[in-house]
Amino acid sequence: MKKTITHTCQGTCSQAVIATVDEGRIVEVSFVGGCHGNTQGVAALVRGMQVEDAIARLEGIDCRGRGTSCPDQLARALRKAQEA
């Protein structure tokens, strides 16, 4: 069953992450704001991945000592999708 989650980002240049997940696999990801090239790259790299694999790779990545990053916020959005 397809689920789309919108996650409001905290502590990053991106304002939000929109992630669509189906049967534990990432279908699509888009970021609102942030470094356009970087967020497009991250979205393209995770497309088709298992949610758990993406979370394991992205969770805890830090940007400039903020304690989070756009990839970390994506991991948080994916966790939300799992719980929904």
Side-chain angles (χ1 to χ4, degrees):
M1 175 186 219
K2 242 183 209 185
K3 292 186 245 180
T4 299
I5 297 293
T6 300
H7 170 76
T8 302
C9 295
Q10 301 289 319
T12 63
C13 300
S14 296
Q15 289 92 33
V17 179
I18 304 158
T20 302
V21 174
D22 188 21
E23 305 278 330
R25 191 168 294 278
I26 300 166
V27 176
E28 187 174 352
V29 171
S30 61
F31 289 83
V32 177
C35 302
H36 188 66
N38 289 337
T39 55
Q40 274 188 306
V42 169
L45 288 169
V46 299
R47 193 174 304 119
M49 283 181 74
Q50 290 290 329
V51 170
E52 282 298 325
D53 292 339
I55 291 170
R57 289 181 183 203
L58 302 175
E59 193 169 50
I61 292 175
D62 181 70
C63 179
R64 299 180 184 171
R66 295 177 181 171
T68 191
S69 64
C70 293
D72 180 63
Q73 291 295 305
L74 172 55
R76 294 177 193 201
L78 294 171
R79 282 219 185 275
K80 265 191 192 176
Q82 285 181 315
E83 295 166 3

